[in-house]
């Protein structure tokens, strides 16, 4: 905590003496690679006269930050924070703020920096280095009626896991083939915690159309990642209000325009097109996302480069789910 206190002192001293600061160099969207293989995303913008930002860091959702401010033209401080409750020595609850600080240094259209947050006990600081680059504007929506497709690729053969592998080989694979269906069943044994992993195709793809069928038990959750970067949510959200975390949503980024889920336990169809940084999703025959722009990675992404080819990956660490009839048609450009 002492390091964080000194950091705050340095930051505010710098602010007092800084002049002619120009935040415009930071305006825009930045895709980020974090040491250890995780992905982040930062958007900096002016919001009714004040500097504002949104952040994705590793997993979870894109969320507004608690604070963002310039140190000088090329250095930015970002802070997000959460409240934690700890038990004091008198047995009473003590509510504290756990800050997560990001010092970002810009050099043209590249950034680098370090994230800092206190350990759970506050006795040390956990740090992670990162670097990133500014994303160009998303192009206009493509005319999907003019898109040409190559030969279909059958991603799942109905017999075994040929063509698939764990994204993290140190985790446990909960996927297996049962009666021609790809089933993930991450069962936890009493008294131990098993770390189940996600699986990805060995093959990588650029833009494409992907069709599949999925069956989600009550209360369960999974996800289909496009190019290892964009999660199309798979979950039991039947009967819920529209939300960017519901079935068929681009997780935390695009809310379906209409609810088209079926009740838990029924087979559902998904038809997904990714083209020129735009996504279209048809759920059970209904278009719920119509050629909408995708501004950056979603939580859990395994790569940050929005122009690079990547795998299809299936989330396997959340709950039981079944997939079948997974066919991808690459877009020919």
């Amino acid at each position: 905590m002492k390091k964080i206190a000194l950091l705050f002192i340095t930051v505010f001293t710098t602010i007092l003496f800084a002049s002619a600061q120009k935040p415009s160099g930071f305006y825009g969207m930045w895709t980020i690679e974090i040491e250890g293989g995780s992905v982040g995303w930062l958007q900096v913008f002016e919001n009714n006269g004040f500097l504002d930002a949104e952040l994705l860091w590793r997993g979870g959702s894109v969320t507004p930050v608690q604070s963002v401010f310039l140190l000088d033209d090329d250095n930015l401080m970002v802070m997000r924070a959460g409240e934690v409750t700890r038990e004091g020595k008198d047995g009473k609850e003590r509510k504290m703020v756990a800050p997560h600080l990001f010092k970002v240094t810009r050099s043209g259209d590249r950034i680098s920096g370090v994230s800092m947050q206190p350990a759970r006990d506050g006795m040390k600081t956990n740090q992670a280095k990162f670097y990133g680059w500014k994303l160009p504007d998303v192009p206009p929506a493509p005319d999907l009626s003019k898109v040409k497709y190559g030969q279909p690729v059958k991603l799942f053969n109905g017999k075994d896991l040929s063509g698939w592998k764990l994204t993290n080989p140190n985790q446990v694979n909960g996927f297996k083939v049962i009666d021609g269906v790809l089933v993930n069943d991450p069962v936890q044994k009493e008294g131990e915690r098993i770390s189940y992993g996600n699986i990805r195709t060995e093959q990588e793809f650029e833009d494409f159309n992907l069709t599949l069928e999925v069956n989600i038990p009550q209360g369960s959750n999974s996800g289909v990642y496009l190019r290892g970067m964009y999660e199309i949510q798979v979950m039991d959200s039947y009967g819920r209000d529209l939300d960017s975390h519901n079935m068929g949503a681009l997780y935390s980024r695009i809310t379906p325009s209409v609810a088209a889920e079926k009740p838990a336990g029924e087979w559902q169809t998904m038809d997904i097109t990714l083209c020129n940084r735009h996504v279209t999703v048809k759920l059970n025959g209904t278009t719920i996302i119509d050629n909408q722009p995708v501004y950056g990675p979603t939580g859990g992404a395994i790569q940050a480069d929005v122009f690079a080819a990547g795998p299809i990956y299936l989330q396997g660490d959340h709950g039981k789910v079944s997939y079948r009839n997974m066919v991808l048609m690459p877009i020919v450009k």
Side-chain angles (χ1 to χ4, degrees):
M1 293 300 286
K2 184 181 293 184
K3 289 182 180 179
I4 293 176
L6 290 173
L7 177 62
F8 273 118
I9 292 172
T10 302
V11 167
F12 289 113
T13 301
T14 303
I15 290 173
L16 288 174
F17 292 99
S19 62
Q21 296 171 357
K22 300 175 182 178
S24 58
F26 282 100
Y27 288 167
M29 301 180 188
W30 306 80
T31 191
I32 297 168
E33 293 190 355
I34 307 165
E35 65 177 356
S38 299
V39 170
W41 178 88
L42 174 68
Q43 181 183 17
V44 181
F45 54 97
E46 183 177 326
N47 188 353
N48 197 28
F50 65 89
L51 195 61
D52 205 351
E54 293 182 329
L55 178 71
L56 169 72
W57 191 255
R58 294 193 169 113
S61 300
V62 176
T63 57
V65 302
Q66 273 65 48
S67 182
V68 54
F69 49 87
L70 281 173
L71 302 179
D72 54 48
D73 290 355
D74 296 321
N75 290 279
L76 186 76
M77 285 298 302
V78 178
M79 185 186 80
R80 66 175 188 175
E83 186 177 78
V84 296
T85 301
R86 299 187 174 102
E87 183 178 340
K89 61 182 179 180
D90 57 1
K92 295 181 179 179
E93 287 188 347
R94 169 80 160 90
K95 293 187 181 297
M96 303 180 73
V97 172
H100 191 175
L101 303 170
F102 304 82
K103 185 176 186 295
V104 186
T105 298
R106 182 181 65 87
S107 177
D109 286 344
R110 309 287 296 189
I111 57 172
S112 61
V114 60
S115 82
M116 297 158 282
Q117 60 186 137
R120 186 175 179 81
D121 61 4
M123 298 296 182
K124 64 179 182 179
T125 303
N126 296 325
Q127 299 189 13
K129 294 180 180 179
F130 61 86
Y131 69 94
W133 56 97
K134 181 175 284 189
L135 289 171
D137 292 339
V138 176
D143 183 348
L144 296 181
S145 69
K146 297 180 180 179
V147 168
K148 296 181 179 180
Y149 295 96
Q151 292 298 311
V153 180
K154 195 173 183 179
L155 299 182
F156 171 54
N157 64 18
K159 300 176 182 179
D160 54 37
L161 287 171
S162 296
W164 294 84
K165 63 182 180 180
L166 285 165
T167 58
N168 180 350
N170 296 319
Q171 293 182 305
V172 175
N173 190 350
F175 285 89
K176 54 188 174 182
V177 180
I178 302 175
D179 297 330
V181 175
L182 182 59
V183 180
N184 179 58
D185 193 7
V187 177
Q188 295 293 336
K189 297 180 180 179
E190 186 175 352
E192 63 178 300
R193 175 66 182 173
I194 302 173
S195 177
Y196 285 97
N198 309 313
I199 61 170
R200 53 157 288 175
T201 57
E202 294 177 350
Q203 191 171 353
E204 296 190 344
F205 308 95
E206 294 181 344
D207 286 353
F208 53 79
N209 171 262
L210 172 66
T211 57
L212 58 87
E213 293 178 77
V214 61
N215 191 312
I216 314 143
Q218 186 174 6
S220 200
N221 187 332
S222 182
V224 177
Y225 280 76
L226 316 178
R227 300 214 318 241
M229 191 181 324
Y230 308 122
E231 182 188 3
I232 301 299
Q233 174 72 307
V234 172
M235 73 170 299
D236 171 30
S237 58
Y238 180 74
R240 297 187 183 184
D241 293 337
L242 293 176
D243 189 89
S244 64
H245 301 84
N246 283 4
M247 178 72 175
L250 182 67
Y251 190 84
S252 89
R253 287 195 179 273
I254 303 178
T255 300
S257 60
V258 62
E261 301 95 324
K262 292 182 180 180
E266 295 187 21
W267 282 102
Q268 307 191 53
T269 61
M270 303 186 81
D271 184 317
I272 305 162
T273 300
L274 178 65
C275 183
N276 292 351
R277 296 174 67 192
H278 286 74
V279 67
T280 296
V281 178
K282 297 178 182 179
L283 177 62
N284 300 316
T286 299
T287 300
I288 63 172
I289 297 177
D290 190 4
N291 214 5
Q292 294 298 302
V294 181
Y295 294 115
T298 58
I302 58 175
Q303 68 173 25
D305 187 349
V306 302
F307 298 104
I312 301 300
Y313 104 61
L314 305 178
Q315 205 169 50
D317 59 347
H318 280 36
K320 188 172 183 177
V321 65
S322 299
Y323 293 96
R324 69 185 184 190
N325 297 330
M326 303 179 64
V327 178
L328 182 146
M329 290 196 300
I331 291 176
V332 179
K333 296 184 178 179

